[in-house]
Amino acid sequence: MKINVRQICFILAFYTAATKLLLYPIILSGISGRDLVFSALLDFLVQGAAVWAVAFLSSRTDKTLFELIKTAFGEVTARIIYGLFAAFFLFCTIPLMFEQKLYVQAIFYDTIPSFTVFAPVFLFTVYAGAKGFKNIGRCADVCMPIFIVSMAFIFFMSFSEVDFTNLLPVLKTSPAGYLGGALKTSFFFLEPAYLLIFLGNFRYKKGDAAKLTLSYAAGALIVLAFLAVFYGIYGELTSSRQFAVSKTSLYFSAIDVVGRVDLYALYALEIVMLFAFVLNVQLAVHCIVKCSGWNCPELISFFVNIVLLVIIITCGGSLAGLQNFYTDWGWIIVLLFSTAAPFASLAFKRAERSRV
């Protein structure tokens, strides 16, 4: 098998959290206010059900999603759907790419031109984008201990400044607030789509569906705890604090004596964020290979990253407009591919049976 369940569990737990530590808390708090935890919980419940649906399907078939669609509806349909998934992953890569660019510039290299700092990342994404599922799994193994140690350090440095009364009273925000927050930030929730593409590329054993679902629940708990801590520190000012994870440990008492020791954790955590970001590129390349039948992932990765490079150059100064577009319209795309598609995939299996 190309990837194993343990590695997918790491992705569902730690990549899930890593992609929601920068701008997600800022955007969510601006919409949902102090009820941001409940908005996030609603999204995690819906996406958790979608993760379970794909995990359940993996217990019923050893075929990939492409093979299921091909058997049930024909190869042309399978190619079209994989082409749409490639476009979906690239669509969802764009906001992650922008937040990484701005984060690296603002936190680590604020005196160097932003493009000069971020350009080497494209060399990495060109290389990593061409790698397959075995590489994705090995990277997840490497990222697991880095993420655990880094986040433990950040939580440790943050708790002394948290005032959880900032989260009170709960559920007093209007339904348009916390329900709107859940809907408008759903473009951060891609994990069921990841699992769909992994389908058939790992060997399922009894109980693995529970492991996969619980791993996603663990990632959800990390994010929910982080949201509570972040809002507990800044209260109503939360939506104005850029790059959330870099702001939670600023008031750690030892910083005045020993300096910004939190930067060590942030540097390490950036490694995990980078691998979580590039996973979208890797899956997009994989889907294009399956869609086109052109088995040259190196060149496909190069062209995909050229497109991303053009986007980041031409749209470099319009982060606010980009965020508004994704909060207004991105949820439609994500609900189709990351929520509806996992449940619809169960029908592919039934259609396959009906044709046997």
Side-chain angles (χ1 to χ4, degrees):
M1 291 286 105
K2 298 177 181 179
I3 191 171
N4 61 51
V5 171
R6 181 194 73 252
Q7 294 165 336
I8 297 175
C9 287
F10 290 162
I11 289 171
L12 292 177
F14 305 124
Y15 285 14
T16 293
T19 55
K20 299 173 181 64
L21 297 178
L22 295 181
L23 296 183
Y24 172 68
I26 314 301
I27 298 172
L28 184 59
S29 63
I31 302 171
S32 302
R34 64 171 60 91
D35 286 326
L36 76 171
V37 174
F38 294 95
S39 297
L41 178 61
L42 181 58
D43 273 322
F44 277 117
L45 288 174
V46 172
Q47 299 303 322
V51 166
W52 176 86
V54 183
F56 174 77
L57 178 60
S58 70
S59 70
R60 295 293 185 267
T61 182
D62 59 358
K63 291 185 176 181
T64 65
L65 178 65
F66 188 91
E67 292 168 340
L68 282 175
I69 301 171
K70 179 180 176 181
T71 302
F73 304 108
E75 184 173 356
V76 173
T77 302
R79 289 180 181 272
I80 291 172
I81 290 177
Y82 261 65
L84 293 174
F85 265 104
F88 165 72
F89 287 122
L90 290 179
F91 174 80
C92 294
T93 299
I94 293 171
L96 295 176
M97 174 182 64
F98 268 88
E99 72 173 15
Q100 281 296 311
K101 173 182 177 292
L102 296 174
Y103 175 66
V104 170
Q105 165 69 16
I107 304 303
F108 301 133
Y109 303 103
D110 57 346
T111 61
I112 303 175
S114 59
F115 182 74
T116 303
V117 171
F118 199 68
V121 173
F122 281 95
L123 298 178
F124 169 74
T125 57
V126 169
Y127 171 77
K131 298 300 179 181
F133 290 154
K134 285 187 178 180
N135 177 268
I136 292 173
R138 290 167 182 166
C139 291
D141 283 331
V142 171
C143 288
M144 182 272 291
I146 296 174
F147 181 87
I148 291 176
V149 173
S150 300
M151 282 305 296
F153 195 43
I154 289 171
F155 274 124
F156 171 76
M157 290 187 291
S158 305
F159 270 119
S160 61
E161 299 300 324
V162 178
D163 180 3
F164 287 111
T165 60
N166 285 331
L167 295 162
L168 300 176
V170 300
L171 293 178
K172 294 299 182 181
T173 307
S174 67
Y178 55 83
L179 294 178
L183 190 66
K184 291 186 175 185
T185 59
S186 60
F187 64 90
F188 284 95
F189 291 80
L190 316 179
E191 296 79 21
Y194 296 162
L195 195 55
L196 264 181
I197 305 303
F198 290 145
L199 186 70
N201 291 288
F202 61 92
R203 182 175 290 105
Y204 183 90
K205 296 179 181 178
K206 184 177 180 180
D208 283 346
K211 292 177 183 177
L212 293 167
T213 307
L214 290 175
S215 295
Y216 188 65
L221 288 176
I222 294 170
V223 175
L224 295 175
F226 179 77
L227 291 173
V229 167
F230 188 50
Y231 200 90
I233 294 173
Y234 289 103
E236 294 181 356
L237 298 175
T238 300
S239 60
S240 65
R241 307 293 97 177
Q242 289 295 316
F243 311 118
V245 74
S246 68
K247 300 295 192 298
T248 55
S249 56
L250 279 179
Y251 301 106
F252 182 52
S253 57
I255 285 180
D256 293 334
V257 179
V258 297
R260 292 292 306 275
V261 291
D262 60 317
L263 287 178
Y264 292 105
L266 295 177
Y267 275 119
L269 195 59
E270 174 61 17
I271 296 172
V272 184
M273 292 181 187
L274 188 58
F275 279 114
F277 154 68
V278 82
L279 175 61
N280 292 279
V281 179
Q282 292 170 316
L283 294 183
V285 170
H286 170 78
C287 289
I288 292 172
V289 169
K290 299 296 290 185
C291 169
S292 65
W294 186 30
N295 191 21
C296 190
E298 294 81 8
L299 281 177
I300 292 174
S301 178
F302 175 77
F303 290 127
V304 163
N305 280 280
I306 288 296
V307 172
L308 294 176
L309 181 61
V310 170
I311 291 173
I312 203 170
I313 291 174
T314 56
C315 304
S318 56
L319 178 63
L322 185 77
Q323 287 180 356
N324 290 335
F325 173 78
Y326 274 81
T327 54
D328 289 343
W329 304 104
W331 61 271
I332 299 174
I333 306 298
V334 172
L335 288 181
L336 283 173
F337 287 91
S338 192
T339 306
F343 291 107
S345 65
L346 297 174
F348 297 154
K349 181 61 179 176
R350 288 195 292 269
E352 177 195 22
R353 289 176 179 173
S354 67
R355 297 187 64 173
V356 173

